[in-house]
Short mmCIF file of all heavy atoms in Angstrom, two decimals:
data_model
loop_
_atom_site.label_atom_id
_atom_site.label_comp_id
_atom_site.label_asym_id
_atom_site.label_seq_id
_atom_site.Cartn_x
_atom_site.Cartn_y
_atom_site.Cartn_z
N ALA U 143 128.39 70.38 91.81
CA ALA U 143 129.32 70.94 90.84
C ALA U 143 128.64 72.07 90.03
O ALA U 143 129.21 73.16 89.83
CB ALA U 143 129.83 69.86 89.88
N VAL U 144 127.42 71.82 89.58
CA VAL U 144 126.69 72.83 88.80
C VAL U 144 126.35 74.03 89.67
O VAL U 144 126.41 75.19 89.23
CB VAL U 144 125.44 72.22 88.16
CG1 VAL U 144 124.60 73.31 87.50
CG2 VAL U 144 125.83 71.17 87.13
N ALA U 145 125.96 73.78 90.93
CA ALA U 145 125.61 74.87 91.82
C ALA U 145 126.80 75.80 92.06
O ALA U 145 126.66 77.02 92.04
CB ALA U 145 125.08 74.32 93.15
N LEU U 146 127.97 75.24 92.25
CA LEU U 146 129.17 76.05 92.48
C LEU U 146 129.51 76.86 91.22
O LEU U 146 129.88 78.05 91.30
CB LEU U 146 130.35 75.16 92.88
CG LEU U 146 130.23 74.50 94.25
CD1 LEU U 146 131.41 73.56 94.50
CD2 LEU U 146 130.14 75.55 95.36
N ALA U 147 129.37 76.22 90.05
CA ALA U 147 129.60 76.94 88.80
C ALA U 147 128.55 78.05 88.63
O ALA U 147 128.86 79.16 88.16
CB ALA U 147 129.54 75.98 87.62
N GLY U 148 127.31 77.76 89.03
CA GLY U 148 126.25 78.75 88.94
C GLY U 148 126.50 79.97 89.81
O GLY U 148 126.20 81.10 89.43
N ILE U 149 127.08 79.75 90.98
CA ILE U 149 127.41 80.85 91.87
C ILE U 149 128.40 81.78 91.18
O ILE U 149 128.27 83.00 91.19
CB ILE U 149 127.98 80.34 93.20
CG1 ILE U 149 126.89 79.63 94.01
CG2 ILE U 149 128.59 81.48 94.01
CD1 ILE U 149 127.38 78.94 95.27
N ALA U 150 129.42 81.19 90.52
CA ALA U 150 130.43 81.99 89.83
C ALA U 150 129.82 82.76 88.67
O ALA U 150 130.08 83.97 88.49
CB ALA U 150 131.56 81.09 89.36
N VAL U 151 129.00 82.08 87.86
CA VAL U 151 128.39 82.72 86.68
C VAL U 151 127.45 83.86 87.09
O VAL U 151 127.49 84.97 86.55
CB VAL U 151 127.63 81.68 85.82
CG1 VAL U 151 126.78 82.38 84.75
CG2 VAL U 151 128.63 80.74 85.17
N ASN U 152 126.60 83.59 88.09
CA ASN U 152 125.65 84.62 88.50
C ASN U 152 126.32 85.77 89.20
O ASN U 152 125.88 86.91 89.12
CB ASN U 152 124.57 84.00 89.43
CG ASN U 152 123.40 83.46 88.66
OD1 ASN U 152 122.42 84.14 88.42
ND2 ASN U 152 123.53 82.20 88.24
N LEU U 153 127.40 85.49 89.90
CA LEU U 153 128.15 86.56 90.54
C LEU U 153 128.74 87.48 89.48
O LEU U 153 128.67 88.73 89.62
CB LEU U 153 129.26 85.96 91.42
CG LEU U 153 130.02 86.95 92.32
CD1 LEU U 153 129.06 87.65 93.26
CD2 LEU U 153 131.10 86.23 93.09
N ALA U 154 129.26 86.90 88.39
CA ALA U 154 129.83 87.73 87.31
C ALA U 154 128.75 88.55 86.62
O ALA U 154 128.92 89.74 86.35
CB ALA U 154 130.53 86.83 86.29
N ALA U 155 127.59 87.92 86.37
CA ALA U 155 126.48 88.66 85.71
C ALA U 155 125.93 89.74 86.61
O ALA U 155 125.60 90.85 86.15
CB ALA U 155 125.38 87.67 85.33
N THR U 156 125.82 89.44 87.92
CA THR U 156 125.29 90.43 88.87
C THR U 156 126.23 91.62 88.98
O THR U 156 125.79 92.78 89.00
CB THR U 156 125.10 89.80 90.25
OG1 THR U 156 124.22 88.67 90.15
CG2 THR U 156 124.52 90.79 91.24
N LEU U 157 127.54 91.36 89.03
CA LEU U 157 128.51 92.45 89.07
C LEU U 157 128.45 93.31 87.81
O LEU U 157 128.60 94.53 87.86
CB LEU U 157 129.91 91.90 89.29
CG LEU U 157 130.21 91.33 90.67
CD1 LEU U 157 131.59 90.67 90.70
CD2 LEU U 157 130.11 92.44 91.72
N ALA U 158 128.21 92.66 86.65
CA ALA U 158 128.10 93.40 85.40
C ALA U 158 126.92 94.36 85.44
O ALA U 158 127.02 95.51 85.03
CB ALA U 158 127.98 92.44 84.22
N LEU U 159 125.77 93.87 85.93
CA LEU U 159 124.57 94.71 85.96
C LEU U 159 124.58 95.72 87.10
O LEU U 159 123.88 96.72 87.05
CB LEU U 159 123.30 93.85 86.09
CG LEU U 159 122.71 93.33 84.79
CD1 LEU U 159 121.31 92.78 85.04
CD2 LEU U 159 122.66 94.39 83.72
N SER U 160 125.39 95.46 88.13
CA SER U 160 125.40 96.40 89.25
C SER U 160 125.95 97.77 88.83
O SER U 160 125.65 98.78 89.46
CB SER U 160 126.27 95.85 90.38
OG SER U 160 127.63 95.76 89.99
N GLY U 161 126.72 97.79 87.73
CA GLY U 161 127.25 99.06 87.24
C GLY U 161 126.33 99.75 86.24
O GLY U 161 126.63 100.86 85.79
N ALA U 162 125.19 99.12 85.91
CA ALA U 162 124.25 99.72 84.96
C ALA U 162 123.38 100.76 85.67
O ALA U 162 123.35 100.84 86.90
CB ALA U 162 123.38 98.62 84.32
N THR U 163 122.66 101.54 84.85
CA THR U 163 121.74 102.55 85.41
C THR U 163 120.49 101.84 85.90
O THR U 163 119.64 101.42 85.11
CB THR U 163 121.36 103.58 84.33
OG1 THR U 163 122.56 104.13 83.79
CG2 THR U 163 120.53 104.70 84.95
N ARG U 164 120.36 101.72 87.22
CA ARG U 164 119.27 100.91 87.78
C ARG U 164 118.02 101.74 88.08
O ARG U 164 117.14 101.31 88.79
CB ARG U 164 119.75 100.17 89.01
CG ARG U 164 120.65 98.99 88.65
CD ARG U 164 121.44 98.47 89.79
NE ARG U 164 120.63 98.20 90.94
CZ ARG U 164 121.10 98.02 92.17
NH1 ARG U 164 122.40 98.15 92.38
NH2 ARG U 164 120.30 97.75 93.17
#
Side-chain angles (χ1 to χ4, degrees):
V144 173
L146 293 176
I149 291 172
V151 169
N152 272 269
L153 189 58
T156 302
L157 288 174
L159 274 194
S160 65
T163 306
R164 285 163 53 196

